[in-house]
């Protein structure tokens, strides 16, 4: 049995309470690790360590801070296999996915922000003979980073790396459901020689450890990724304390597939955008709108692809679908499948729990599921399911599909499939989505702003946006 520890003041330490929580392997349903059940006292120690480390860390030249971050990136790359295996064990995702997406992207986050901070220039505003204004961007101080379970190390590092690069010190909490790679990261930070207290990782529940982070008066900003309800609660708690907030929340993303698209590519990519990580990526497209003239051919090819998505042990290379993250989450997704039937949907594929033989007999597996015939405004088409469940709906006009696509409270991401350049841009600009992909999906460039409109969040991560978030602008005006 693994015993994870907190990472506070450069040391691996047990929780003050001495209490631990059980962590379950979703593919087997068995407890495989104990994680610290931390609370306000652990967070207070972490904040103290971060405050003590801050003056020296902010004074360190960006190049030297960057060198340490690049070193962490190299160590993540060195340990690719071990980290991918750990991520799969903790989350249920196929090892192959963690190996090619989660862990390489976690390394890229550190490598990118390790160098980006050196290119972070500030503005000057010059009025000849009158005045020179220049902007200084001060690191905020101690900041809190809180992340979800679906892409554990990837999203954890997406927050930590820019905060550290900007010169902040961090108190971070990974999801209590998937804490393992965050613990391995703390070991790598020690090996990399990150100064004590610059990064502190506190494990535990949202209600105890998370709540203590958002309430702590010395924490100047909260960068949070997770559910919309939790985001609402964080905003209610932290906004009256005038903390800066970056909230990356839920989604209900549409795919708009026009008749002039490259059908084979639209089908292949829609399969990935529907079912990667068992549909548990905030950017997954769960509402697939297809122009009526190609609806039947799209449906036939899509269902053929779904039939090839083998559900199985995430450690086996042939498995395309692993386990859902927990029994509770599996039950939530099954409820939505039942709702799909009640709302009049026709089940085209899946819909059932899967029992994988052998070591995975008690795991949380579900068939990839496809419905058609559901109204665009029914609950299954409006609410976030966050599992391997998608709906197919034919449309007739651009106006109609835009109305449907924009008809939810979310606005995170969308994909458009067309060869018509004018339409691609026109439709993209009319979508209420923070991220629009045209003829692709999940293509990342770390310099771009990342985040959602409407109830999908507040603020943007990525590139200079993230460095701006973790700094405070100060204008200095010099009379000439
Ligand atoms: P969640 O909101 O339940 O938990 C996220 C994190 O918040 C966890 O670390 C949890 O412990 C913590 N938390 C819970 N209550 C808290 C509190 N009172 N104070 C402080 N922290 C608290 O979300 P989840 O179930 O882990 O993740 C799934 C959700 O995340 C989905 O809605 C998904 O769309 C969203 N998500 C969004 C993005 C994005 O970039 N927009 C990316 C991935 C996931």
């Amino acid at each position: 049995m693994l015993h994870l520890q907190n990472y506070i003041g450069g040391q691996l330490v047990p929780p003050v309470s001495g209490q631990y929580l059980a962590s379950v392997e979703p593919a087997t349903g068995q407890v495989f690790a104990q994680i610290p059940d931390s609370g306000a006292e652990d967070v207070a120690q972490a904040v103290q360590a971060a405050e003590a480390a801050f003056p020296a860390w902010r004074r360190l030249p960006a190049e030297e801070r960057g060198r340490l971050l690049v070193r962490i990136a190299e160590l993540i790359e060195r340990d690719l296999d071990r980290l991918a295996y750990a991520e799969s064990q903790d989350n249920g995702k196929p090892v192959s996915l963690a190996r090619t997406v989660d862990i390489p992207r976690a390394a890229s986050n550190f490598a990118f922000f390790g160098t980006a901070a050196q290119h972070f220039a500030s503005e000057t505003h010059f009025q000849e003979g009158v005045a020179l204004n220049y902007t200084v961007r001060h690191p905020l101080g101690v900041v809190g980073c809180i992340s979800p379970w679906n892409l554990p190390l990837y999203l954890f590092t997406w927050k930590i790396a820019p905060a550290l690069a900007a010169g902040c010190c961090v108190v971070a909490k990974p999801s209590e459901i998937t804490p393992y790679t965050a613990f391995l990261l703390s070991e790598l930070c020690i090996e990399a020689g990150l100064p004590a207290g610059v990064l502190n990782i506190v494990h535990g529940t949202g209600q105890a450890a998370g709540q203590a982070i958002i309430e702590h008066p010395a924490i100047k900003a909260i960068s949070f990724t997770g559910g919309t309800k939790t985001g609402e609660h964080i905003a209610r708690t932290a906004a009256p304390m005038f903390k800066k907030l970056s909230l990356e929340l839920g989604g209900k993303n549409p795919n708009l597939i026009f008749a002039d698209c490259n059908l084979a590519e639209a089908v292949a990519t829609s399969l990935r955008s529907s079912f990667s990580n068992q549909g548990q990526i905030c950017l997954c497209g769960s509402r697939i709108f297809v122009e009526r003239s190609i609806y039947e051919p799209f449906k036939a090819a899509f269902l053929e692809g779904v039939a090839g998505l083998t559900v199985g042990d995430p450690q086996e290379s042939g498995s395309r679908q692993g386990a859902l993250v927990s029994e509770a989450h599996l039950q939530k997704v099954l409820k939505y499948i039942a709702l799909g039937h009640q709302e009049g949907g026709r089940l085209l594929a899946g819909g059932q729990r899967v029992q994988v033989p052998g070591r995975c007999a008690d795991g949380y597996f579900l068939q990839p599921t496809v419905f058609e015939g559901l109204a665009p405004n029914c609950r299954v088409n409006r609410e976030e399911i966050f599992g391997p469940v998608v709906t197919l709906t034919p449309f007739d006009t651009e106006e109609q599909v835009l109305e449907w696509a924009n008809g939810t409270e979310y606005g995170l991401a969308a994909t458009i499939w067309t060869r018509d350049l004018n339409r691609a841009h026109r439709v993209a600009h009319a979508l209420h989505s923070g991220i629009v992909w045209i003829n692709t999906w999940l293509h990342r460039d770390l310099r771009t702003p990342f985040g959602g409109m409407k109830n999908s969040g507040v603020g943007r991560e990525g590139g200079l946006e993230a460095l701006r978030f973790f700094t405070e602008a100060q204008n200095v005006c010099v009379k000439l």
Side-chain angles (χ1 to χ4, degrees):
M1 180 77 55
L2 275 164
H3 264 85
L4 309 189
Q5 304 291 2
N6 289 331
Y7 171 49
I8 297 177
Q11 309 281 329
L12 297 177
V13 293
V16 172
S17 67
Q19 300 295 311
Y20 286 79
L21 303 162
S23 192
V24 171
E25 178 175 1
T28 62
Q30 306 302 314
V31 174
F32 79 103
Q34 299 289 330
I35 73 160
D37 185 5
S38 312
E41 285 175 273
D42 304 273
V43 169
Q45 285 181 3
V47 172
Q48 217 173 22
E51 282 187 311
F54 178 60
W57 182 246
R58 73 168 294 178
R59 266 200 313 274
L60 212 59
E63 192 181 344
E64 285 182 39
R65 287 201 300 266
R67 211 172 279 143
L68 281 160
L69 300 191
V70 170
R71 178 74 188 127
I72 296 170
E74 288 165 355
L75 294 177
I76 293 174
E77 278 165 2
R78 182 198 69 190
D79 287 359
L80 172 68
D81 287 325
R82 178 171 179 233
L83 289 164
Y85 182 87
E87 202 72 296
S88 166
Q89 185 176 23
D90 209 10
N91 170 278
K93 66 181 68 204
V95 174
S96 56
L97 184 73
R99 225 183 160 280
T100 50
V101 177
D102 296 70
I103 308 306
R105 287 185 178 201
S108 303
N109 289 341
F110 276 109
F112 174 82
F113 283 108
T115 51
Q118 297 170 51
H119 302 272
F120 189 35
S122 74
E123 309 94 77
T124 61
H125 304 275
F126 176 59
Q127 298 162 296
E128 196 174 348
V130 182
L132 168 71
N133 282 277
Y134 66 91
T135 308
V136 187
R137 289 199 163 267
H138 298 285
L140 290 176
V142 179
V143 298
C145 298
I146 300 176
S147 59
W149 49 257
N150 63 324
L151 301 167
L153 191 64
Y154 177 6
L155 294 178
F156 197 54
T157 56
W158 182 231
K159 301 180 173 308
I160 291 170
L164 297 179
C168 292
C169 290
V170 176
V171 176
K173 191 190 89 63
S175 169
E176 62 274 32
I177 301 172
T178 53
Y180 190 11
T181 48
F183 170 73
L184 296 176
L185 175 69
S186 49
E187 291 183 335
L188 295 183
C189 289
I190 294 170
E191 186 180 344
L194 193 68
V198 164
L199 169 64
N200 304 275
I201 300 177
V202 180
H203 293 275
T205 65
Q207 289 66 31
Q211 187 69 24
I213 291 174
I214 63 173
E215 283 177 349
H216 199 294
I219 292 186
K220 306 285 186 245
I222 304 289
S223 175
F224 167 79
T225 299
T228 294
K229 277 266 161 298
T230 316
E232 224 179 280
H233 171 80
I234 291 175
R236 250 199 318 272
T237 310
M241 299 172 82
F242 305 110
K243 291 180 195 282
K244 260 179 124 176
L245 288 175
S246 168
L247 304 173
E248 300 294 334
L249 310 176
K252 187 72 186 176
N253 309 312
N255 300 7
L256 288 69
I257 303 187
F258 289 93
D260 67 346
C261 72
N262 178 326
L263 186 63
E265 277 186 27
V267 169
T269 305
S270 296
L271 279 165
R272 275 203 310 122
S273 71
S274 300
F275 300 117
S276 289
N277 205 35
Q278 297 70 249
Q280 303 165 126
I281 302 181
C282 54
L283 305 166
C284 277
S286 52
R287 297 179 294 147
I288 305 178
F289 299 114
V290 187
E291 198 163 358
R292 196 174 299 277
S293 61
I294 59 157
Y295 184 76
E296 289 304 329
F298 180 94
K299 180 168 108 180
F302 188 76
L303 292 176
E304 197 183 316
V306 172
L309 294 176
T310 315
V311 179
D313 186 338
Q315 288 178 14
E316 280 175 18
S317 58
S319 298
R320 298 280 303 279
Q321 296 282 287
L324 270 64
V325 78
S326 65
E327 176 71 34
H329 189 57
L330 172 66
Q331 292 305 328
K332 176 192 151 183
V333 177
L334 283 168
K335 276 200 184 120
Y336 273 103
I337 292 173
L339 183 64
H341 289 293
Q342 281 164 30
E343 291 187 316
R346 275 188 303 284
L347 190 70
L348 299 176
Q352 300 290 328
R353 187 171 184 159
V354 180
Q355 204 187 23
V356 172
R359 80 172 195 108
C360 293
D362 295 326
Y364 315 131
F365 296 88
L366 182 65
Q367 292 172 330
T369 298
V370 185
F371 277 107
E372 72 172 355
L374 281 161
N377 62 353
C378 73
R379 282 185 55 201
V380 167
N381 269 327
R382 284 197 334 265
E383 297 177 13
E384 184 183 51
I385 300 174
F386 216 55
V389 180
V390 299
T391 63
L392 298 183
T393 309
F395 70 87
D396 294 299
T397 66
E398 195 177 302
E399 292 69 34
Q400 182 182 49
V401 75
L402 271 171
E403 190 189 322
W404 291 347
N406 287 336
T408 74
E409 64 185 35
Y410 296 110
L412 187 55
T415 63
I416 301 170
W417 291 87
T418 179
R419 287 186 169 108
D420 178 339
L421 200 58
N422 290 338
R423 172 161 55 202
H425 291 287
R426 188 171 63 235
V427 171
H429 301 168
L431 281 168
H432 305 159
S433 296
I435 301 155
V436 178
W437 280 293
I438 297 170
N439 298 328
T440 183
W441 177 71
L442 212 63
H443 184 100
R444 296 295 306 283
D445 178 330
L446 302 190
R447 294 168 299 182
T448 61
F450 177 89
M453 296 182 181
K454 303 196 280 188
N455 293 6
S456 289
V458 176
R460 293 291 180 274
E461 300 189 290
L464 299 181
E465 299 275 349
L467 295 176
R468 284 195 195 102
F469 175 75
F470 288 113
T471 53
E472 181 125 75
Q474 176 189 47
N475 190 70
V476 180
C477 177
V478 187
K479 185 173 176 299
L480 296 179

